[in-house]
Amino acid sequence: MPMLVDFETVPQLFNGLVKFHSGKDHVVLRYVDKDSKEWTDISWATFKSRVHAMAGYLYSQGVRPGDRVAILSENRPEWAYTDMATQLLGGTNVSLYTTLPSNEVSYIIHDSQACIFIVSTGIQLKKALQIYDLCPHLNKIVSMVPLREDDEDHEYVDIFEEAMDSGAALFDEFKDAIHANEAAVRPQDLSALIYTSGTTGNPKGVMLTHKNLCSNLKSAIQRLPFKEGGRHLSFLPLCHSFERLGGYLGTIATGMVISYARSVDTVTRDILDVKPTVLLSVPRLYEKIFNSVLKSVEDGSPTSQKVFQWARKVGYKYHSIRVAGKNPGPLLSAKKALAHKLVFSKLHEKLGGCIEFGVSGGAALPKAIGEFFFSAGITIVEGYGLTETSPVLSITPFSNPRYGAVGHVIPGVTVGIQDLDSAEIIAELLGDNYPSDLTCRAGEIVAKGPNIMKGYWKNEEATREAIDSNGWYHTGDVGRFDDGFLVITDRIKHMIVSAGGKNIYPGPIEEGFKHEPWIDQIMVVGEAREFLTALVVPDSEVIKKFAQEQGLSAVKLQDMLNTDEVHRVFSQLFKSYSRQAAAHEKIRNFRLVLDPFTIENGMMTPTMKLKRKVINAHHIDLIDEMYAGDI
């Protein structure tokens, strides 16, 4: 799907789209009204007036080109109004995860020198009030909720709706100056400052220019068939570069409609309401859906299990022929129709019934899960990249989806594989013209292109470490080319060096267990140890159902985990894996952990990556116990 308008900056994109949709009453955003509880449409005309109102308010508060405006909010229309208004003024959006504690919020607001801070709920307002005095550049807090009656009268707090009401008139007053700022925005100017979550140390501010974002958007959309009038349910945080580019700029640029999920907890219900045509998600959602289906099949009759396996084979064969541009024939088509009716129709219904394809990003999608959805008639396109690459480097081709790889390099971007020891570039591939037979050994993935960040905010040393003198950005990921497909092995810093000197990447091992219904989360352990072990967070619902079926008397989940029956299930899982694994990659012991690894307890980053050092430190007693004796 081509872009509806041409653009080099975000203001050009916004103004071009406003002109394109003028007089057509097209919907751009949808949300659930908190009073009526009904889905409410926002037309492009309304979106334009709300963005202009916020621009008028921000300008009146002194926001000028280059200034930072921070947003601490869930996905909602107010986020879009604030972002676009900031872009029109030549400002820089600094978005924060709502899960961040106040000390990390304080660090980002202080480090970015944000002058305006927009917050959503009472919880986020409380954080803003706590850190206001610690941030000398912060002039105003704008709250989407009113102050409570028992709050002090803070003269530096404005209410969002009141700011918008006054901003409409202020825009008319300052429109000449605001339009001058829009016209003056250059591709090399900063559009966003996104702080990496990081697993250690303070977060670093990634400086993304209009050129970074706009060039990456144009290249990525060449590989993604977004359609005008399509529907997107937005639930991944907008401060995540994946959702920002694909679920926000990409969708509006191609004429899609964004519906904001009520919350992360209501996504399954919102999907049924919105009936999205495209599903953008991290692998976690796809994994949960897959494991739920697999568990229901395991609980079914032998006949049901055979039908399920038959349907998977039929679906995979049928869709493989279709994506290759060939005719499956009447017999296979009839089998596919029956497989859909008996097995896959329920999955499509759970996803709203209108899904045309899915997009997975932010982490590796396990091969088995990608192939399952493909068999069901839902192609999941996997994208790979980092915040520092704006973020997309590669995307799965629709005509040749290959799961277990992350697709082909996108147009205009060059990806290289650098030897980990000699720093020699083993292979490089420009997305405009890649050889399909390119294969090489593994090394660090490096990249060049217009999408590579300007650098880290006020951190020249970190910038020099990330971007070498030849202009290559070092991703820190290990990978290789295999017949033109980019394959990710793991993160360099995640590599485990065993006591025997073996280099082991835990990522592929962990991914191999993500399709197990019994396992919710897993972390492989083994640094400087004689063998590998694993910390496992079981799926609580599966455990409870198993305990009930086995007639176990244990009531508490922890008691269930301690039973011999449950332990035998997991012991068998790891024995089955280890029989096929290399000697140094066998998992020889494990412990079941009751509490999940979460953002709230500090064991995951806001982008849902394991904080391995934190988890190791927290569970050191369990880990030492695993190495005190065999299973």
Side-chain angles (χ1 to χ4, degrees), residues 220-289:
I221 291 300
Q222 291 184 46
R223 299 284 174 83
L224 296 172
F226 286 3
K227 297 178 181 177
E228 187 176 358
R231 296 181 298 278
H232 164 57
L233 178 65
S234 177
F235 59 88
L236 295 180
L238 277 161
C239 47
H240 192 298
S241 56
F242 173 36
E243 180 68 15
R244 181 182 181 86
L245 189 88
Y248 170 54
L249 294 177
T251 49
I252 65 172
T254 53
M256 293 181 64
V257 178
I258 301 172
S259 296
Y260 294 111
R262 280 166 274 207
S263 73
V264 175
D265 298 328
T266 65
V267 168
T268 53
R269 181 170 44 139
D270 293 336
I271 283 176
L272 297 178
D273 289 346
V274 172
K275 302 185 186 308
T277 58
V278 178
L279 185 63
L280 274 68
S281 177
V282 291
R284 187 96 170 126
L285 176 65
Y286 298 115
E287 290 163 10
K288 282 186 170 293
I289 294 171

Side-chain angles (χ1 to χ4, degrees), residues 50-340:
R50 299 290 276 175
V51 169
H52 283 174
M54 178 50 68
Y57 169 80
L58 292 177
Y59 188 88
S60 74
Q61 297 300 315
V63 175
R64 297 295 183 269
D67 288 343
R68 275 74 61 200
V69 175
I71 311 175
L72 180 60
S73 170
E74 304 77 12
N75 297 12
R76 54 197 294 175
E78 291 87 349
W79 192 99
Y81 303 153
T82 303
D83 173 71
M84 279 300 177
T86 301
Q87 304 299 319
L88 294 184
L89 295 177
T92 303
N93 176 322
V94 183
S95 285
L96 293 80
Y97 288 95
T98 57
T99 53
L100 292 178
S102 58
N103 64 312
E104 293 187 38
V105 171
S106 177
Y107 175 83
I108 292 174
I109 298 300
H110 186 278
D111 186 69
S112 67
Q113 300 178 339
C115 57
I116 305 289
F117 191 15
I118 315 288
V119 297
S120 57
T121 64
I123 294 173
Q124 310 308 340
L125 175 59
K126 183 178 180 181
K127 295 176 188 176
L129 294 175
Q130 289 173 341
I131 64 104
Y132 179 81
D133 291 333
L134 302 175
C135 303
H137 291 90
L138 185 56
N139 298 323
K140 188 75 71 172
I141 295 170
V142 183
S143 173
M144 298 179 199
V145 294
L147 292 167
R148 297 177 305 180
E149 291 184 4
D150 56 343
D151 278 333
E152 297 178 20
D153 183 21
H154 300 288
E155 61 180 15
Y156 52 82
V157 177
D158 284 346
I159 304 306
F160 192 92
E161 281 304 319
E162 295 174 0
M164 293 287 280
D165 290 342
S166 62
L170 291 167
F171 179 83
D172 288 336
E173 180 180 348
F174 300 122
K175 64 181 179 182
D176 290 342
I178 293 173
H179 287 322
N181 284 348
E182 293 172 22
V185 174
R186 302 165 300 170
Q188 61 266 36
D189 292 338
L190 283 190
S191 171
L193 188 57
I194 302 178
Y195 279 78
T196 58
S197 48
T199 54
T200 58
N202 289 323
K204 298 190 291 286
V206 177
M207 296 188 289
L208 297 181
T209 66
H210 290 266
K211 181 179 181 179
N212 292 153
L213 292 171
C214 294
S215 67
N216 199 235
L217 174 57
K218 291 177 180 180
S219 294
I221 291 300
Q222 291 184 46
R223 299 284 174 83
L224 296 172
F226 286 3
K227 297 178 181 177
E228 187 176 358
R231 296 181 298 278
H232 164 57
L233 178 65
S234 177
F235 59 88
L236 295 180
L238 277 161
C239 47
H240 192 298
S241 56
F242 173 36
E243 180 68 15
R244 181 182 181 86
L245 189 88
Y248 170 54
L249 294 177
T251 49
I252 65 172
T254 53
M256 293 181 64
V257 178
I258 301 172
S259 296
Y260 294 111
R262 280 166 274 207
S263 73
V264 175
D265 298 328
T266 65
V267 168
T268 53
R269 181 170 44 139
D270 293 336
I271 283 176
L272 297 178
D273 289 346
V274 172
K275 302 185 186 308
T277 58
V278 178
L279 185 63
L280 274 68
S281 177
V282 291
R284 187 96 170 126
L285 176 65
Y286 298 115
E287 290 163 10
K288 282 186 170 293
I289 294 171
F290 174 75
N291 288 338
S292 174
V293 171
L294 212 61
K295 183 58 181 169
S296 66
V297 171
E298 288 182 357
D299 293 341
S301 66
T303 301
S304 296
Q305 294 173 14
K306 288 181 181 179
V307 170
F308 178 75
Q309 295 304 333
W310 169 82
R312 287 183 70 174
K313 291 178 182 177
V314 167
Y316 194 86
K317 184 177 181 180
Y318 174 88
H319 292 294
S320 295
I321 293 172
R322 283 292 301 272
V323 299
K326 300 177 182 178
N327 188 342
L331 180 59
L332 184 56
S333 296
K335 289 181 179 180
K336 177 262 178 186
L338 182 59
H340 180 83

Side-chain angles (χ1 to χ4, degrees), residues 5 56 258 280 375 390 574:
V5 299
I258 301 172
L280 274 68
S375 298
S390 301
F574 288 112

Side-chain angles (χ1 to χ4, degrees), residues 409-450:
V409 178
I410 64 172
V413 174
T414 302
V415 169
I417 305 297
Q418 188 176 66
D419 187 86
L420 292 172
D421 297 320
S422 68
E424 171 196 1
I425 300 295
I426 302 168
E428 64 179 89
L429 189 156
L430 175 62
D432 295 288
N433 183 25
Y434 57 86
S436 60
D437 60 345
L438 178 62
T439 298
C440 68
R441 67 183 186 274
E444 183 180 9
I445 298 171
V446 293
K448 287 181 179 180

